[in-house]
Amino acid sequence: MVILDTFAMVDAAPHTDLPDLLLATHHHVSLHFDQAQRLLTPASGHDVGVLLHQLIPEFNALQVIVAALQRDELQTYTQEPIMRTSAAGVARIYRVRLQLTRPGAQVESAFTLEVEEITEVYALRAQVQQLQEQVQQYRAMVDMIAHDLNTPLTTLQGYLELTSVEMQDVGNESFFEHLQIMQGCVERIMFTVGEMYDVVAMDAGQLRLHSRTVAPLSLLRRAIQETGVIVERRQQTLRLEAPDDLPALRCDDLRVLQILQNLISNASKYSPHHTPITVRAALEPDRSHVCITVIDRGRGIEAAQLPFVFERAFRVHETEHQIKGAGLGLYLARLLVEMHGGRIWCESEVGQGSSFHFTLPVADRLRDY
Ligand code: ADP
């Protein structure tokens, strides 16, 4: 910081190229006034006014000082950032702040004029703004792509279903099998498109939950039924373990189905053929939440990677495995669980399998019925 002694500057260097004085990184000019509001300096108020005006004409410092004294307002006045170009043609941005304080008994009021160079901060702010605009454009693009892909994919899915029913009737086994593989691929693309769509909506704060009172067992059974095809393709078994007397949940059932679909399809994807997958549900000890767990006996996740699996676009050993995915599923699952007021976590051992747990709030009997 450079402290400019106003008087020395006025007296000793009256003809200095004043705009260039601002090119120091930080200037500090202190003006002291007595109780009669006279400037306690050898320089006249006029000299100081001229000096400040030449330095920063946009900020009519003396007028601001006089007005502040008259109103007796102890505060900081900040000017919009100003730009100065040095003799060498270098443009710099400054923030000008004028602060009124009461430092002591002898000196009634003190004004500190602070000129701080903020060229870099200003440039960074402009970059951040530019990046925010770019992110906005990418979001709009992803939104559009997801929307445009959805319609033809739904049609394709419909025709594939129809054709596979016809082929089954005709008895063309190998063609039927090929159609089923194609159907699986279309489902996968639609799932990823849906995830992209949701992540964009979530980031933009546009994803809303439609929570209601939901019976947990029928929700879990539905999730198991809907993911049955995925599991059967790998000849795995899917089992539900839950007591009959679980209390009702307060949740958006379609979103919970989405979370379960993601966890079950991961359990299937990252486990060998012929292994069991278990969905377990139990009331938490404090009875405020139900904990749902999806357990597999698959490859597991290394302890060092565990803290990151719920991050956006995280994939363990991306290049090592050929299993397809965008790495959005668990990120989305975490955001959805948190929106419900629950939490999600994972326990895993490499080569032994993984357990993904998440909690959902129990419906409030008095409020939700
Ligand atoms: P992806 O689309 O890659 O499956 P997810 O967000 O669902 O994305 O999962 C992130 C990463 O976590 C996966 O790439 C995988 O490495 C790891 N993972 C998720 N579930 C399991 C699981 N049940 N067993 C082993 N690894 C898993």
Side-chain angles (χ1 to χ4, degrees), residues 129-144:
Q129 202 175 337
Q130 206 179 351
L131 282 174
Q132 278 171 339
E133 279 164 22
Q134 271 176 15
V135 167
Q136 207 51 41
Q137 283 167 1
Y138 281 124
R139 275 195 192 141
M141 201 173 72
V142 172
D143 206 45
M144 199 182 70

Side-chain angles (χ1 to χ4, degrees), residues 73-365:
E73 284 172 355
L74 291 165
Q75 54 173 285
T76 302
Y77 303 85
T78 307
Q79 162 78 21
E80 286 286 302
I82 57 167
M83 194 176 84
R84 287 289 179 279
T85 307
S86 71
V90 182
R92 304 243 166 102
I93 312 286
Y94 299 90
R95 184 178 59 192
V96 182
R97 257 194 319 218
L98 181 68
Q99 196 180 1
L100 167 59
T101 48
R102 289 199 189 285
Q106 292 155 326
V107 180
E108 174 67 5
S109 324
F111 289 85
T112 304
L113 183 75
E114 200 181 283
V115 182
E116 186 186 0
E117 190 192 333
I118 55 163
T119 312
E120 281 175 23
V121 178
Y122 201 76
L124 277 177
R125 213 186 290 162
Q127 274 175 19
V128 167
Q129 202 175 337
Q130 206 179 351
L131 282 174
Q132 278 171 339
E133 279 164 22
Q134 271 176 15
V135 167
Q136 207 51 41
Q137 283 167 1
Y138 281 124
R139 275 195 192 141
M141 201 173 72
V142 172
D143 206 45
M144 199 182 70
I145 294 172
H147 186 265
D148 286 0
L149 280 178
N150 220 24
T151 317
L153 281 172
T154 311
T155 313
L156 185 60
Q157 195 187 31
Y159 275 106
L160 281 174
E161 250 171 52
L162 201 73
T163 319
S164 54
V165 171
E166 285 169 5
M167 280 305 124
Q168 209 173 12
D169 291 346
V170 171
N172 189 335
E173 274 304 311
S174 76
F175 195 43
F176 176 68
E177 244 174 60
H178 294 166
L179 279 172
Q180 281 210 311
I181 294 169
M182 282 151 82
Q183 257 177 301
C185 294
V186 172
E187 262 168 38
R188 184 73 226 157
I189 300 170
M190 286 185 80
F191 195 76
T192 306
V193 168
E195 282 180 346
M196 278 161 59
Y197 205 73
D198 284 345
V199 166
V200 169
M202 185 84 81
D203 286 349
Q206 285 165 351
L207 203 137
R208 300 264 173 276
L209 291 183
H210 302 286
S211 290
R212 57 195 190 90
T213 302
V214 174
L217 280 184
S218 48
L219 182 65
L220 292 169
R221 286 196 190 110
R222 190 172 155 196
I224 284 177
Q225 197 186 12
E226 288 185 6
T227 44
V229 192
I230 303 171
V231 173
E232 276 162 26
R233 271 187 210 134
R234 297 173 64 79
Q235 290 99 45
Q236 293 154 329
T237 53
L238 187 52
R239 203 160 52 129
L240 174 64
E241 288 178 5
D244 290 334
D245 59 350
L246 280 178
L249 300 172
R250 175 85 191 155
C251 65
D252 182 332
D253 51 346
L254 293 183
R255 290 300 178 185
V256 176
L257 276 176
Q258 186 181 349
I259 299 167
L260 281 164
Q261 192 176 9
N262 185 271
L263 296 183
I264 297 171
S265 93
N266 275 353
S268 169
K269 264 197 310 188
Y270 298 109
S271 300
H273 286 62
H274 306 287
T275 49
I277 296 168
T278 309
V279 178
R280 200 173 279 164
L283 186 60
E284 290 272 83
D286 71 356
R287 309 180 74 82
S288 64
H289 287 74
V290 165
C291 181
I292 300 170
T293 307
V294 178
I295 307 157
D296 67 55
R297 296 228 198 110
R299 45 184 282 172
I301 302 168
E302 286 167 34
Q305 313 272 9
L306 269 181
F308 306 106
V309 290
F310 297 101
E311 295 304 315
R312 178 207 284 257
F314 178 80
R315 306 205 70 220
V316 180
H317 305 311
E318 173 85 52
T319 48
E320 256 180 45
H321 64 72
Q322 296 302 310
I323 305 165
K324 298 278 175 287
L328 293 177
L330 288 180
Y331 169 69
L332 204 55
R334 172 169 67 84
L335 297 186
L336 286 171
V337 168
E338 286 171 358
M339 276 175 89
H340 278 92
R343 62 188 193 95
I344 186 166
W345 69 101
C346 171
E347 289 164 340
S348 189
E349 213 175 307
V350 174
Q352 299 298 309
S354 311
S355 298
F356 281 84
H357 312 267
F358 68 98
T359 61
L360 290 173
V362 163
D364 181 336
R365 278 175 192 282

